[in-house]
Amino acid sequence: MRLRVLVSFTIGVATGTFCWFLLAHFHLGAGDFNWAVVAAQDLIAHRNPYDRPMQLYPLSCALFGLPFAWMRPEVAGGAFYGVSSALMALGLTRHGYHRLLVFMAYPYWAGIIEAQWAPLIIASSFFPLLLPATMAKPQLGIPVAFTSLSKRGVLACLAVIALTFLVMPRWPWYWIAHFQRYERFIPLLVFPGPLLVLALLRWRGRDGRLLFLMSVVPQRWLYDPLILWLIPKSRRELVYTVGLSWLAGIWRWYSHPHTFTQLGRVIVLSMYLPMLVVVLLRTGSSDPTPAEP
């Protein structure tokens, strides 16, 4: 455990510093995490966070923004991504250091410039008390929550939900009013995405369920599929899926999607279908990857 903590801390410091540098260099504020920070600042100032246009996050995200509300935006974004990455590394190394290859997947690096939530959501699958993170970005969190349920995780989620209603009882109605502004694609509905229904053949395994659930939730950009890297377990599976994920990175370097359908097709081909192959080729059910106590 001591070595795991040291390795995870090192990863967190390095990635958090690099994220801060990118956010500051490109003048991006706190990136995607900015919505959590400003929501927390609004609550502190007794303002309605949903008076801001494009506030697409549930109020639970503001609770994660509170510890960072006093920081400069780019520092807050870097600190959040660093802490999230450290927790993700700590969870992954429970099953061997080879699983740190997940950090080489293209979606992780696509998310670092935006201080995205996916690393923290992945970490929540290992640590029950982090499960409320799945409610901060539910379109990615739902598949993880449904495949990582535990008594303590459910209690933690209920406590966070109760707290949000105590702070602002009508927040779900304000939040829902912003839904029409969310542009997205659904992997299952983007050709050849319908092939992902084959994941149901492995429904009894946790990884088959996770893959199918991820294929039916709305997604927005190349960093969202990072959640899929909870599926590969062996070094061979990780090298195979990580390598193919960079096809999307190469495509993105030379092109820009004109539609979300085009973007979704690239993601399905380079990330979802390779994960489907991993799940179908296994001889037994998927590793349940139990959460740490």
Side-chain angles (χ1 to χ4, degrees), residues 233-255:
K233 302 298 189 299
S234 70
R235 184 175 285 102
R236 177 179 297 180
E237 291 173 349
L238 285 162
V239 170
Y240 159 66
T241 54
V242 165
L244 288 178
S245 74
W246 280 90
L247 294 177
I250 295 170
W251 169 81
R252 176 64 186 89
W253 183 264
Y254 292 103
S255 178

PDB file of all heavy atoms in Angstrom, residues 233-255:
ATOM      1  N   LYS A 233      -8.273  -5.846 -18.466  1.00  0.00           N
ATOM      2  CA  LYS A 233      -7.631  -6.264 -17.216  1.00  0.00           C
ATOM      3  C   LYS A 233      -6.200  -6.737 -17.445  1.00  0.00           C
ATOM      4  O   LYS A 233      -5.314  -6.442 -16.649  1.00  0.00           O
ATOM      5  CB  LYS A 233      -8.439  -7.387 -16.564  1.00  0.00           C
ATOM      6  CG  LYS A 233      -9.888  -7.036 -16.259  1.00  0.00           C
ATOM      7  CD  LYS A 233      -9.999  -5.895 -15.278  1.00  0.00           C
ATOM      8  CE  LYS A 233     -11.425  -5.686 -14.797  1.00  0.00           C
ATOM      9  NZ  LYS A 233     -12.374  -5.349 -15.863  1.00  0.00           N
ATOM     10  N   SER A 234      -5.971  -7.494 -18.507  1.00  0.00           N
ATOM     11  CA  SER A 234      -4.641  -8.023 -18.754  1.00  0.00           C
ATOM     12  C   SER A 234      -3.780  -7.005 -19.484  1.00  0.00           C
ATOM     13  O   SER A 234      -4.285  -6.044 -20.082  1.00  0.00           O
ATOM     14  CB  SER A 234      -4.721  -9.306 -19.581  1.00  0.00           C
ATOM     15  OG  SER A 234      -5.126  -9.016 -20.912  1.00  0.00           O
ATOM     16  N   ARG A 235      -2.470  -7.223 -19.442  1.00  0.00           N
ATOM     17  CA  ARG A 235      -1.549  -6.334 -20.156  1.00  0.00           C
ATOM     18  C   ARG A 235      -1.847  -6.355 -21.659  1.00  0.00           C
ATOM     19  O   ARG A 235      -1.808  -5.319 -22.316  1.00  0.00           O
ATOM     20  CB  ARG A 235      -0.107  -6.756 -19.879  1.00  0.00           C
ATOM     21  CG  ARG A 235       0.926  -5.833 -20.514  1.00  0.00           C
ATOM     22  CD  ARG A 235       2.342  -6.226 -20.116  1.00  0.00           C
ATOM     23  NE  ARG A 235       2.652  -5.826 -18.746  1.00  0.00           N
ATOM     24  CZ  ARG A 235       2.662  -6.641 -17.704  1.00  0.00           C
ATOM     25  NH1 ARG A 235       2.378  -7.936 -17.872  1.00  0.00           N
ATOM     26  NH2 ARG A 235       2.955  -6.204 -16.502  1.00  0.00           N
ATOM     27  N   ARG A 236      -2.149  -7.526 -22.193  1.00  0.00           N
ATOM     28  CA  ARG A 236      -2.439  -7.634 -23.629  1.00  0.00           C
ATOM     29  C   ARG A 236      -3.679  -6.816 -23.989  1.00  0.00           C
ATOM     30  O   ARG A 236      -3.690  -6.096 -24.982  1.00  0.00           O
ATOM     31  CB  ARG A 236      -2.640  -9.093 -24.008  1.00  0.00           C
ATOM     32  CG  ARG A 236      -3.008  -9.298 -25.468  1.00  0.00           C
ATOM     33  CD  ARG A 236      -3.164 -10.762 -25.795  1.00  0.00           C
ATOM     34  NE  ARG A 236      -1.912 -11.493 -25.619  1.00  0.00           N
ATOM     35  CZ  ARG A 236      -1.781 -12.797 -25.842  1.00  0.00           C
ATOM     36  NH1 ARG A 236      -2.838 -13.517 -26.219  1.00  0.00           N
ATOM     37  NH2 ARG A 236      -0.615 -13.374 -25.668  1.00  0.00           N
ATOM     38  N   GLU A 237      -4.733  -6.935 -23.194  1.00  0.00           N
ATOM     39  CA  GLU A 237      -5.963  -6.179 -23.455  1.00  0.00           C
ATOM     40  C   GLU A 237      -5.709  -4.680 -23.387  1.00  0.00           C
ATOM     41  O   GLU A 237      -6.242  -3.904 -24.195  1.00  0.00           O
ATOM     42  CB  GLU A 237      -7.041  -6.580 -22.452  1.00  0.00           C
ATOM     43  CG  GLU A 237      -7.577  -7.982 -22.634  1.00  0.00           C
ATOM     44  CD  GLU A 237      -8.527  -8.406 -21.531  1.00  0.00           C
ATOM     45  OE1 GLU A 237      -8.608  -7.687 -20.504  1.00  0.00           O
ATOM     46  OE2 GLU A 237      -9.180  -9.450 -21.676  1.00  0.00           O
ATOM     47  N   LEU A 238      -4.900  -4.259 -22.426  1.00  0.00           N
ATOM     48  CA  LEU A 238      -4.620  -2.837 -22.259  1.00  0.00           C
ATOM     49  C   LEU A 238      -3.801  -2.291 -23.420  1.00  0.00           C
ATOM     50  O   LEU A 238      -4.121  -1.224 -23.965  1.00  0.00           O
ATOM     51  CB  LEU A 238      -3.884  -2.606 -20.938  1.00  0.00           C
ATOM     52  CG  LEU A 238      -4.759  -2.692 -19.685  1.00  0.00           C
ATOM     53  CD1 LEU A 238      -3.912  -2.883 -18.439  1.00  0.00           C
ATOM     54  CD2 LEU A 238      -5.620  -1.443 -19.563  1.00  0.00           C
ATOM     55  N   VAL A 239      -2.760  -3.001 -23.817  1.00  0.00           N
ATOM     56  CA  VAL A 239      -1.923  -2.534 -24.929  1.00  0.00           C
ATOM     57  C   VAL A 239      -2.756  -2.442 -26.212  1.00  0.00           C
ATOM     58  O   VAL A 239      -2.651  -1.468 -26.969  1.00  0.00           O
ATOM     59  CB  VAL A 239      -0.712  -3.460 -25.117  1.00  0.00           C
ATOM     60  CG1 VAL A 239       0.025  -3.136 -26.407  1.00  0.00           C
ATOM     61  CG2 VAL A 239       0.239  -3.344 -23.929  1.00  0.00           C
ATOM     62  N   TYR A 240      -3.582  -3.442 -26.453  1.00  0.00           N
ATOM     63  CA  TYR A 240      -4.425  -3.486 -27.651  1.00  0.00           C
ATOM     64  C   TYR A 240      -5.406  -2.309 -27.697  1.00  0.00           C
ATOM     65  O   TYR A 240      -5.500  -1.589 -28.689  1.00  0.00           O
ATOM     66  CB  TYR A 240      -5.153  -4.836 -27.665  1.00  0.00           C
ATOM     67  CG  TYR A 240      -6.402  -4.910 -28.494  1.00  0.00           C
ATOM     68  CD1 TYR A 240      -6.364  -4.788 -29.885  1.00  0.00           C
ATOM     69  CD2 TYR A 240      -7.640  -5.136 -27.888  1.00  0.00           C
ATOM     70  CE1 TYR A 240      -7.523  -4.881 -30.642  1.00  0.00           C
ATOM     71  CE2 TYR A 240      -8.796  -5.229 -28.632  1.00  0.00           C
ATOM     72  CZ  TYR A 240      -8.738  -5.096 -30.008  1.00  0.00           C
ATOM     73  OH  TYR A 240      -9.880  -5.186 -30.750  1.00  0.00           O
ATOM     74  N   THR A 241      -6.132  -2.094 -26.606  1.00  0.00           N
ATOM     75  CA  THR A 241      -7.146  -1.037 -26.604  1.00  0.00           C
ATOM     76  C   THR A 241      -6.521   0.354 -26.532  1.00  0.00           C
ATOM     77  O   THR A 241      -7.012   1.290 -27.175  1.00  0.00           O
ATOM     78  CB  THR A 241      -8.120  -1.230 -25.437  1.00  0.00           C
ATOM     79  OG1 THR A 241      -7.393  -1.321 -24.197  1.00  0.00           O
ATOM     80  CG2 THR A 241      -8.937  -2.502 -25.618  1.00  0.00           C
ATOM     81  N   VAL A 242      -5.450   0.502 -25.753  1.00  0.00           N
ATOM     82  CA  VAL A 242      -4.767   1.804 -25.672  1.00  0.00           C
ATOM     83  C   VAL A 242      -4.201   2.185 -27.031  1.00  0.00           C
ATOM     84  O   VAL A 242      -4.355   3.330 -27.498  1.00  0.00           O
ATOM     85  CB  VAL A 242      -3.658   1.764 -24.606  1.00  0.00           C
ATOM     86  CG1 VAL A 242      -2.707   2.948 -24.766  1.00  0.00           C
ATOM     87  CG2 VAL A 242      -4.261   1.770 -23.206  1.00  0.00           C
ATOM     88  N   GLY A 243      -3.558   1.245 -27.703  1.00  0.00           N
ATOM     89  CA  GLY A 243      -2.976   1.539 -29.014  1.00  0.00           C
ATOM     90  C   GLY A 243      -4.021   1.975 -30.026  1.00  0.00           C
ATOM     91  O   GLY A 243      -3.836   2.977 -30.734  1.00  0.00           O
ATOM     92  N   LEU A 244      -5.136   1.255 -30.088  1.00  0.00           N
ATOM     93  CA  LEU A 244      -6.177   1.602 -31.058  1.00  0.00           C
ATOM     94  C   LEU A 244      -6.855   2.932 -30.724  1.00  0.00           C
ATOM     95  O   LEU A 244      -7.338   3.624 -31.618  1.00  0.00           O
ATOM     96  CB  LEU A 244      -7.221   0.485 -31.131  1.00  0.00           C
ATOM     97  CG  LEU A 244      -6.754  -0.806 -31.817  1.00  0.00           C
ATOM     98  CD1 LEU A 244      -7.854  -1.855 -31.797  1.00  0.00           C
ATOM     99  CD2 LEU A 244      -6.313  -0.534 -33.253  1.00  0.00           C
ATOM    100  N   SER A 245      -6.867   3.296 -29.450  1.00  0.00           N
ATOM    101  CA  SER A 245      -7.510   4.562 -29.083  1.00  0.00           C
ATOM    102  C   SER A 245      -6.803   5.758 -29.719  1.00  0.00           C
ATOM    103  O   SER A 245      -7.418   6.799 -29.959  1.00  0.00           O
ATOM    104  CB  SER A 245      -7.539   4.730 -27.557  1.00  0.00           C
ATOM    105  OG  SER A 245      -6.250   5.041 -27.034  1.00  0.00           O
ATOM    106  N   TRP A 246      -5.511   5.612 -30.015  1.00  0.00           N
ATOM    107  CA  TRP A 246      -4.754   6.719 -30.598  1.00  0.00           C
ATOM    108  C   TRP A 246      -5.079   6.933 -32.068  1.00  0.00           C
ATOM    109  O   TRP A 246      -4.683   7.951 -32.647  1.00  0.00           O
ATOM    110  CB  TRP A 246      -3.262   6.515 -30.376  1.00  0.00           C
ATOM    111  CG  TRP A 246      -2.897   6.918 -28.981  1.00  0.00           C
ATOM    112  CD1 TRP A 246      -2.880   6.125 -27.874  1.00  0.00           C
ATOM    113  CD2 TRP A 246      -2.566   8.234 -28.536  1.00  0.00           C
ATOM    114  NE1 TRP A 246      -2.539   6.853 -26.761  1.00  0.00           N
ATOM    115  CE2 TRP A 246      -2.335   8.158 -27.141  1.00  0.00           C
ATOM    116  CE3 TRP A 246      -2.427   9.464 -29.182  1.00  0.00           C
ATOM    117  CZ2 TRP A 246      -1.999   9.273 -26.379  1.00  0.00           C
ATOM    118  CZ3 TRP A 246      -2.069  10.577 -28.422  1.00  0.00           C
ATOM    119  CH2 TRP A 246      -1.862  10.468 -27.044  1.00  0.00           C
ATOM    120  N   LEU A 247      -5.813   5.999 -32.686  1.00  0.00           N
ATOM    121  CA  LEU A 247      -6.313   6.253 -34.040  1.00  0.00           C
ATOM    122  C   LEU A 247      -7.242   7.462 -34.026  1.00  0.00           C
ATOM    123  O   LEU A 247      -7.233   8.271 -34.961  1.00  0.00           O
ATOM    124  CB  LEU A 247      -7.044   5.021 -34.577  1.00  0.00           C
ATOM    125  CG  LEU A 247      -6.178   3.778 -34.809  1.00  0.00           C
ATOM    126  CD1 LEU A 247      -7.059   2.620 -35.261  1.00  0.00           C
ATOM    127  CD2 LEU A 247      -5.095   4.067 -35.853  1.00  0.00           C
ATOM    128  N   ALA A 248      -8.033   7.586 -32.967  1.00  0.00           N
ATOM    129  CA  ALA A 248      -8.900   8.763 -32.832  1.00  0.00           C
ATOM    130  C   ALA A 248      -8.066  10.020 -32.638  1.00  0.00           C
ATOM    131  O   ALA A 248      -8.410  11.095 -33.157  1.00  0.00           O
ATOM    132  CB  ALA A 248      -9.865   8.579 -31.666  1.00  0.00           C
ATOM    133  N   GLY A 249      -6.964   9.901 -31.886  1.00  0.00           N
ATOM    134  CA  GLY A 249      -6.099  11.057 -31.673  1.00  0.00           C
ATOM    135  C   GLY A 249      -5.437  11.512 -32.964  1.00  0.00           C
ATOM    136  O   GLY A 249      -5.337  12.714 -33.231  1.00  0.00           O
ATOM    137  N   ILE A 250      -4.979  10.547 -33.753  1.00  0.00           N
ATOM    138  CA  ILE A 250      -4.365  10.892 -35.047  1.00  0.00           C
ATOM    139  C   ILE A 250      -5.391  11.540 -35.963  1.00  0.00           C
ATOM    140  O   ILE A 250      -5.106  12.551 -36.622  1.00  0.00           O
ATOM    141  CB  ILE A 250      -3.764   9.628 -35.692  1.00  0.00           C
ATOM    142  CG1 ILE A 250      -2.611   9.106 -34.834  1.00  0.00           C
ATOM    143  CG2 ILE A 250      -3.286   9.918 -37.111  1.00  0.00           C
ATOM    144  CD1 ILE A 250      -2.111   7.741 -35.248  1.00  0.00           C
ATOM    145  N   TRP A 251      -6.578  10.968 -36.001  1.00  0.00           N
ATOM    146  CA  TRP A 251      -7.653  11.557 -36.816  1.00  0.00           C
ATOM    147  C   TRP A 251      -7.955  12.981 -36.367  1.00  0.00           C
ATOM    148  O   TRP A 251      -8.115  13.880 -37.194  1.00  0.00           O
ATOM    149  CB  TRP A 251      -8.899  10.682 -36.713  1.00  0.00           C
ATOM    150  CG  TRP A 251     -10.129  11.321 -37.288  1.00  0.00           C
ATOM    151  CD1 TRP A 251     -10.488  11.381 -38.598  1.00  0.00           C
ATOM    152  CD2 TRP A 251     -11.156  12.010 -36.554  1.00  0.00           C
ATOM    153  NE1 TRP A 251     -11.667  12.053 -38.738  1.00  0.00           N
ATOM    154  CE2 TRP A 251     -12.103  12.458 -37.501  1.00  0.00           C
ATOM    155  CE3 TRP A 251     -11.370  12.286 -35.210  1.00  0.00           C
ATOM    156  CZ2 TRP A 251     -13.245  13.162 -37.129  1.00  0.00           C
ATOM    157  CZ3 TRP A 251     -12.503  12.991 -34.834  1.00  0.00           C
ATOM    158  CH2 TRP A 251     -13.421  13.412 -35.784  1.00  0.00           C
ATOM    159  N   ARG A 252      -8.031  13.182 -35.047  1.00  0.00           N
ATOM    160  CA  ARG A 252      -8.342  14.517 -34.517  1.00  0.00           C
ATOM    161  C   ARG A 252      -7.235  15.515 -34.858  1.00  0.00           C
ATOM    162  O   ARG A 252      -7.503  16.696 -35.087  1.00  0.00           O
ATOM    163  CB  ARG A 252      -8.536  14.433 -33.001  1.00  0.00           C
ATOM    164  CG  ARG A 252      -8.768  15.785 -32.322  1.00  0.00           C
ATOM    165  CD  ARG A 252     -10.065  16.418 -32.798  1.00  0.00           C
ATOM    166  NE  ARG A 252     -10.205  17.749 -32.254  1.00  0.00           N
ATOM    167  CZ  ARG A 252      -9.745  18.858 -32.816  1.00  0.00           C
ATOM    168  NH1 ARG A 252      -9.081  18.786 -33.970  1.00  0.00           N
ATOM    169  NH2 ARG A 252      -9.930  20.030 -32.250  1.00  0.00           N
ATOM    170  N   TRP A 253      -5.995  15.052 -34.920  1.00  0.00           N
ATOM    171  CA  TRP A 253      -4.882  15.942 -35.222  1.00  0.00           C
ATOM    172  C   TRP A 253      -5.000  16.526 -36.623  1.00  0.00           C
ATOM    173  O   TRP A 253      -4.656  17.676 -36.859  1.00  0.00           O
ATOM    174  CB  TRP A 253      -3.571  15.185 -35.072  1.00  0.00           C
ATOM    175  CG  TRP A 253      -2.351  16.027 -35.302  1.00  0.00           C
ATOM    176  CD1 TRP A 253      -1.635  16.154 -36.455  1.00  0.00           C
ATOM    177  CD2 TRP A 253      -1.713  16.894 -34.346  1.00  0.00           C
ATOM    178  NE1 TRP A 253      -0.581  17.024 -36.286  1.00  0.00           N
ATOM    179  CE2 TRP A 253      -0.610  17.494 -34.994  1.00  0.00           C
ATOM    180  CE3 TRP A 253      -1.966  17.202 -33.008  1.00  0.00           C
ATOM    181  CZ2 TRP A 253       0.237  18.379 -34.339  1.00  0.00           C
ATOM    182  CZ3 TRP A 253      -1.121  18.084 -32.361  1.00  0.00           C
ATOM    183  CH2 TRP A 253      -0.041  18.665 -33.023  1.00  0.00           C
ATOM    184  N   TYR A 254      -5.492  15.710 -37.551  1.00  0.00           N
ATOM    185  CA  TYR A 254      -5.549  16.134 -38.949  1.00  0.00           C
ATOM    186  C   TYR A 254      -6.953  16.551 -39.404  1.00  0.00           C
ATOM    187  O   TYR A 254      -7.129  16.980 -40.540  1.00  0.00           O
ATOM    188  CB  TYR A 254      -5.062  15.003 -39.866  1.00  0.00           C
ATOM    189  CG  TYR A 254      -3.592  14.719 -39.711  1.00  0.00           C
ATOM    190  CD1 TYR A 254      -3.153  13.615 -38.984  1.00  0.00           C
ATOM    191  CD2 TYR A 254      -2.624  15.560 -40.278  1.00  0.00           C
ATOM    192  CE1 TYR A 254      -1.801  13.352 -38.830  1.00  0.00           C
ATOM    193  CE2 TYR A 254      -1.279  15.310 -40.117  1.00  0.00           C
ATOM    194  CZ  TYR A 254      -0.867  14.202 -39.406  1.00  0.00           C
ATOM    195  OH  TYR A 254       0.465  13.953 -39.241  1.00  0.00           O
ATOM    196  N   SER A 255      -7.931  16.418 -38.521  1.00  0.00           N
ATOM    197  CA  SER A 255      -9.298  16.702 -38.941  1.00  0.00           C
ATOM    198  C   SER A 255     -10.084  17.272 -37.772  1.00  0.00           C
ATOM    199  O   SER A 255      -9.644  17.239 -36.627  1.00  0.00           O
ATOM    200  CB  SER A 255      -9.963  15.414 -39.450  1.00  0.00           C
ATOM    201  OG  SER A 255     -11.298  15.652 -39.830  1.00  0.00           O
TER     202      SER A 255
END
